[in-house]
Amino acid sequence: MPSPEPTVSTSNVAEQLVRLTRRMHRAHKQQLERLDLACTPAQSRLLRIVGHYRGTPPRMADLAERLEVVPRAVTTLVDALEAQGAVRRVPDPTNRRVVRIELTDSGRSTLRALRSARRAAAEEILAPLTAEQREVLGGLLSTLVDGPGAPH
């Protein structure tokens, strides 16, 4: 049995989500420009991923998997971030053929600035909403992102 055609309402919601995503990206980009951060969205994402690792830094293969890209793309990102002094390659203590990627002090500072810019962009966009509306929106978005019944 074929899937039902999307209703006008569903199409409208989909368009609104796309527009909201674009608006969030623009606001985030403006915040980054104010902070004078020369970081591409892909580099920002890689920094966030590396920053989430606790203990042993990730391998290049771990990063490629999390970013859902080929390892060569990660090499390019790491090369650029290493040139900026945000990350460094370190040898794996148990396997000398493995290279791990860790944040430098500068990278941690950049990551804090990126998070601050993201929060400021979100605050700008969410400003018209009440606390209760934000709570409802957060719950709805969690359901859409994580799926129904997923832990938050």
Side-chain angles (χ1 to χ4, degrees), residues 4-131:
E5 287 297 314
T7 64
V8 173
S9 178
T10 301
S11 297
N12 187 37
V13 169
E15 179 60 29
Q16 287 174 316
L17 287 171
V18 169
R19 289 176 53 209
L20 180 60
T21 300
R22 287 181 185 145
R23 185 169 172 219
M24 181 66 187
H25 284 194
R26 279 192 310 271
H28 188 232
K29 184 178 176 184
Q30 289 170 347
Q31 291 294 328
L32 292 175
E33 288 169 357
R34 287 183 193 133
L35 295 172
D36 198 29
L37 286 177
C39 211
T40 68
Q43 291 169 349
S44 298
R45 187 162 178 234
L46 187 133
L47 283 175
R48 284 194 312 274
I49 290 170
V50 173
H52 279 98
Y53 275 82
R54 298 292 175 240
T56 306
R59 300 170 304 146
M60 298 284 267
D62 300 328
L63 295 171
E65 183 179 322
R66 289 282 304 274
L67 289 166
E68 298 177 346
V69 297
V70 296
R72 177 70 190 123
V74 172
T75 300
T76 301
L77 290 172
V78 169
D79 286 346
L81 288 169
E82 192 173 38
Q84 294 173 24
V87 299
R88 68 177 148 253
R89 289 173 166 90
V90 294
D92 183 292
T94 60
N95 184 344
R96 64 186 179 141
R97 294 175 304 201
V98 174
V99 174
R100 296 192 175 269
I101 307 303
E102 67 181 15
L103 292 175
T104 62
D105 289 340
S106 173
R108 280 186 281 283
S109 176
T110 299
L111 187 55
R112 282 190 298 276
L114 288 168
R115 288 176 178 151
S116 175
R118 179 174 275 189
R119 278 191 304 274
E123 187 57 43
E124 177 184 318
I125 288 170
L126 298 174
L129 301 180
T130 66

Side-chain angles (χ1 to χ4, degrees), residues 128-143:
L129 301 180
T130 66
E132 184 179 328
Q133 288 171 324
R134 289 179 188 206
E135 185 79 24
V136 169
L137 178 61
L140 293 170
L141 291 173
S142 289
T143 298

